[in-house]
Amino acid sequence: MKSELRIVSPNGHLGFAPTKEESFAIAAATRPDYYCCDSGSDDIGPAALGSDRSVSMYDWQRHDLELMLLAAREQGVPMLVGSAGDCGTDSRVDMFVQIIRDLAAEHRLPPFKLAYFYSEVGTGDLRDRMEREVVFEGLDGRADLDPATLDRTTRAVAVAGVHPFLEALRAGADVIIGGRSSDCAVFAAPAIHEGFPPEHAYYLGKVLECASFCAEPYGAKESVIGTVTHEDVKVTAMAPHQRCTVASVAGHAMYERSNPYYEHFAGGMLDMSECRYEQYDERTTRVTGQRYVPSGDGVRVKIEGSGRLGAKYIGIAGIRDPYTIANIDTVLDLVRGEVAAQFAEVPYHLNFRVFGKNGVMGDLEPVTEIRSHELCVVVEGVAETAELAESVALLGTRQIFYARLPEVKGTAGTASFVVDEVLPASSAFEWTIHHTVPVADPMELFTLRTVEIDGTAR
Amino acid sequence: MPTTTTLADLAKTIRSKNAGTDRITFDVIFPTREVYERVRHGGVLTRETVAALFRVEDERIVDFVNFDPAFAIKFTLSRTTPSGGLGEGDIFGCQQYPPLLDIEVPAESAR
């Protein structure tokens, strides 16, 4: 049994912005045991999942996969990627698999075994489970899933824990492309596969999932290396200007988490409340004291679902008149009234974000007094069809132009336009499912495939 | 000597970010235990002051943690609509922290 395992994490979100090559090369030169990277998130909002697309540039995704693949194949060690293509739908897995095939052919790579798994789960399957009285428990205070919300769901993915990765590793996979996966599973799986304790395996995943976000000074897309032993986890910055310090690593435990002490995943929970952090060497922090708590009631898998709300258009209106600025809420109420009168018969959504007032923070904005001499109103029109969405957004924008208060001196127009039109946006979606579902078999929502790739065969 | 200073002067990091689709979490990280303890015991960054600052009901503060290993104070707010939904304009939740910058922290001796 190995006494330690070293995993490179080159990027906190593969392809979201290109991996920095210098620190990756430094990491690769140390000849790690695995190359692992997460490529997705629910951070990016519901539109990517709902519309089955990536939010990253194809070239950046290919760039990052190429760096990892060439280093891993040259050194004969496995490479794991989770949440392919940002949202981890089946089409994103297929796209990443095709990129791997293309890269293998382009670089004439000798034969290797590629495993990939799908995470998408049909709404019909979810409906069947619901009808069998399976309870979809809401996360983060959400109510349990009801049939109406499921009906509004366009597309859903199950979030894999370590299980599909472990199956692929047991099958001898050299390269694994995962559908939607929990970030830390991508790193925890190889450590568990190699016989390391789950508490250290999952902590390793937790600390590596965002790559250099656990190092300081701040700098994204730089490689870090996590080392797991039977006693501890160590994490080392690879970029010459970065270090993993007690503060940066402990600080990272909080990142994007409601509570810094607990991390949940399929099959259990990582308890970090007794973690001890110490500076191991100049660039390395050592962590001990983490605990793994298996879930007592079997495995629950998280489901993410996105539902289409409609087509969306965006209008942009600039306002400079001081009286209009001072009375912007009145102006927008007038506009709402005009649009409501025009579209009395059809459902639509009209929303204004007033940058210069509370455009960023909305109701959380404590500054109530407008301190700007100009405002930008972003008008959002959402409706079932593109034509109707365009019409709502355009009328909402034009009526700002016409909504003159009696006291305003200018009578030619109340808004400046950057473009005399409204701009098509991606369809509007909402997160409909953020729930967990119990499964009898941790693999039942995932489909694993393996295939031999031979870049020299063509 | 001024008797007060701001959180922006004292903290190493003040940030907000999504914690899942329905929550935004805020991290205030201090450079030293001394500064962390000073703010923690200063009474200016608590569940109550946060609720008042952002004008939210206490129920929307789903976590409030003093996180000793990182010299950090962390709290999490629930969103009224999930990230990216209708009317929610900060998809990543990463620009909700600035009101924290100006919180005034009394000097040690002024407590």
Side-chain angles (χ1 to χ4, degrees):
Chain A
M1 187 176 287
K2 289 177 183 167
S3 60
E4 68 169 31
L5 193 74
R6 298 169 55 254
I7 299 180
V8 173
S9 175
N11 192 326
H13 182 156
L14 183 145
F16 199 71
T19 294
K20 300 283 179 64
E21 294 187 23
E22 184 191 357
S23 63
F24 181 81
I26 293 169
T30 71
R31 302 193 71 87
D33 298 291
Y34 283 84
Y35 291 85
C36 299
C37 197
D38 170 56
S39 180
S41 181
D42 59 18
D43 229 25
I44 54 179
L49 173 59
S51 51
D52 194 15
R53 62 177 169 83
S54 294
V55 297
S56 302
M57 300 302 294
Y58 177 88
D59 285 352
W60 302 348
Q61 294 169 329
R62 194 179 194 281
H63 168 269
D64 286 4
L65 288 169
E66 184 172 29
L67 277 183
M68 291 177 72
L69 181 67
L70 295 187
R73 294 322 309 137
E74 193 263 327
Q75 297 174 356
V77 299
M79 153 185 169
L80 281 67
V81 173
S83 298
D86 303 320
C87 60
T89 55
D90 293 356
S91 78
R92 302 300 90 186
V93 173
D94 289 339
M95 181 179 77
F96 272 28
V97 166
Q98 188 60 49
I99 292 174
I100 296 293
R101 288 178 184 278
D102 293 347
L103 288 169
E106 184 182 322
H107 295 283
R108 299 190 57 76
L109 296 180
F112 61 91
K113 183 177 276 190
L114 168 69
Y116 55 98
F117 68 84
Y118 294 116
S119 279
E120 237 178 281
V121 50
T123 52
D125 177 321
L126 297 176
R127 163 70 67 177
D128 290 345
R129 287 169 198 267
M130 192 175 272
E131 285 173 357
R132 294 201 305 270
E133 303 195 341
V134 171
V135 175
F136 292 64
E137 285 181 14
L139 289 165
D140 297 341
R142 283 197 181 209
D144 293 346
L145 190 65
D146 58 56
T149 307
L150 181 53
D151 283 345
R152 292 207 310 274
T153 300
T154 306
R155 189 170 284 102
V157 286
V159 182
V162 293
H163 312 91
F165 292 102
L166 286 176
E167 294 246 336
L169 289 168
R170 285 183 201 122
D174 299 300
V175 175
I176 304 174
I177 298 297
R180 185 74 175 110
S181 316
S182 82
D183 305 355
C184 75
V186 182
F187 307 89
I192 290 169
H193 177 67
E194 301 272 0
F196 291 90
E199 64 272 24
H200 297 325
Y202 282 110
Y203 190 91
L204 180 78
K206 171 71 199 123
V207 77
L208 289 182
E209 67 188 20
C210 287
S212 55
F213 274 15
C214 69
E216 64 180 307
Y218 173 82
K221 311 303 170 192
E222 303 284 7
S223 293
V224 297
I225 287 187
T227 304
V228 62
T229 72
H230 293 271
E231 289 77 40
D232 63 11
V233 172
K234 296 189 270 302
V235 56
T236 309
M238 289 293 116
H241 69 284
Q242 288 190 309
R243 304 165 64 218
C244 286
T245 66
V246 168
S248 71
V249 173
H252 183 68
M254 299 188 293
Y255 190 64
E256 295 181 323
R257 294 293 174 271
S258 182
N259 184 296
Y261 295 123
Y262 309 105
E263 171 84 4
H264 296 266
F265 38 78
M269 182 263 282
L270 179 67
D271 180 346
M272 297 178 275
S273 60
E274 301 294 327
C275 277
R276 293 182 298 279
Y277 300 83
E278 53 193 288
Q279 198 70 42
Y280 181 77
D281 63 29
E282 198 209 340
R283 323 173 64 75
T284 303
T285 286
R286 175 176 187 254
V287 190
T288 53
Q290 47 271 20
R291 288 184 299 151
Y292 166 67
V293 184
S295 49
D297 56 346
V299 175
R300 301 190 68 88
V301 175
K302 182 182 167 193
I303 308 288
E304 295 174 349
S306 176
R308 184 178 181 275
L309 298 165
K312 179 159 71 177
Y313 272 76
I314 297 285
I316 305 167
I319 298 172
R320 181 64 176 83
D321 182 276
Y323 193 86
T324 306
I325 289 172
N327 294 280
I328 185 65
D329 291 337
T330 306
V331 169
L332 296 182
D333 281 343
L334 289 171
V335 174
R336 284 189 192 92
E338 295 284 347
V339 176
Q342 185 75 22
F343 297 102
E345 305 299 320
V346 291
Y348 68 90
H349 165 81
L350 174 67
N351 185 56
F352 303 104
R353 290 199 86 89
V354 185
F355 292 95
K357 184 165 178 274
N358 60 359
V360 173
M361 296 188 60
D363 290 344
L364 289 179
E365 178 58 74
V367 175
T368 52
E369 175 197 358
I370 300 176
R371 298 173 185 173
S372 176
H373 64 285
E374 60 184 20
L375 297 178
C376 176
V377 184
V378 173
V379 182
E380 180 186 42
V382 175
E384 179 53 33
T385 66
E387 186 182 5
L388 189 56
E390 181 180 7
S391 189
V392 167
L394 189 59
L395 191 63
T397 310
R398 292 268 163 88
Q399 290 297 343
I400 296 175
F401 186 85
Y402 290 122
R404 279 185 291 283
L405 304 167
E407 299 83 353
V408 170
K409 303 295 181 188
T411 58
T414 316
S416 73
F417 289 149
V418 180
V419 288
D420 185 20
E421 62 188 321
V422 288
L423 308 174
S426 302
S427 287
F429 287 87
E430 67 174 336
W431 287 117
T432 51
I433 307 179
H434 180 60
H435 292 72
T436 64
V437 61
V439 291
D441 174 352
M443 285 298 290
E444 71 183 43
L445 297 171
F446 307 100
T447 306
L448 179 67
R449 303 264 166 78
T450 57
V451 60
E452 294 290 333
I453 306 285
D454 185 354
T456 61
R458 281 193 229 172
Chain B
M1 282 281 285
T3 54
T4 61
T5 183
T6 65
L7 214 50
D9 295 327
L10 294 174
K12 184 166 76 170
T13 298
I14 302 177
R15 68 189 175 198
S16 62
K17 187 78 201 293
N18 287 345
T21 63
D22 299 346
R23 293 174 170 180
I24 299 176
T25 193
F26 296 73
D27 303 336
V28 184
I29 306 175
F30 299 98
T32 64
R33 174 173 297 280
E34 181 188 18
V35 177
Y36 163 64
E37 295 289 351
R38 173 180 163 194
V39 174
R40 187 182 159 187
H41 297 297
V44 293
L45 189 57
T46 64
R47 282 188 80 99
E48 293 72 26
T49 62
V50 163
L53 179 65
F54 292 103
R55 296 178 301 170
V56 295
E57 302 291 313
D58 183 70
E59 294 77 44
R60 279 186 65 185
I61 305 173
V62 294
D63 271 299
F64 196 102
V65 180
N66 295 310
F67 185 48
D68 295 348
F71 307 148
I73 300 173
K74 178 180 180 66
F75 60 93
T76 303
L77 302 183
S78 62
R79 286 179 182 262
T80 51
T81 306
S83 147
L86 289 176
E88 273 283 357
D90 187 357
I91 289 176
F92 290 79
C94 58
Q95 276 296 306
Q96 304 299 310
Y97 65 85
L100 297 170
L101 299 170
D102 298 331
I103 289 178
E104 293 194 347
V105 183
E108 194 78 12
S109 57
R111 277 202 279 135

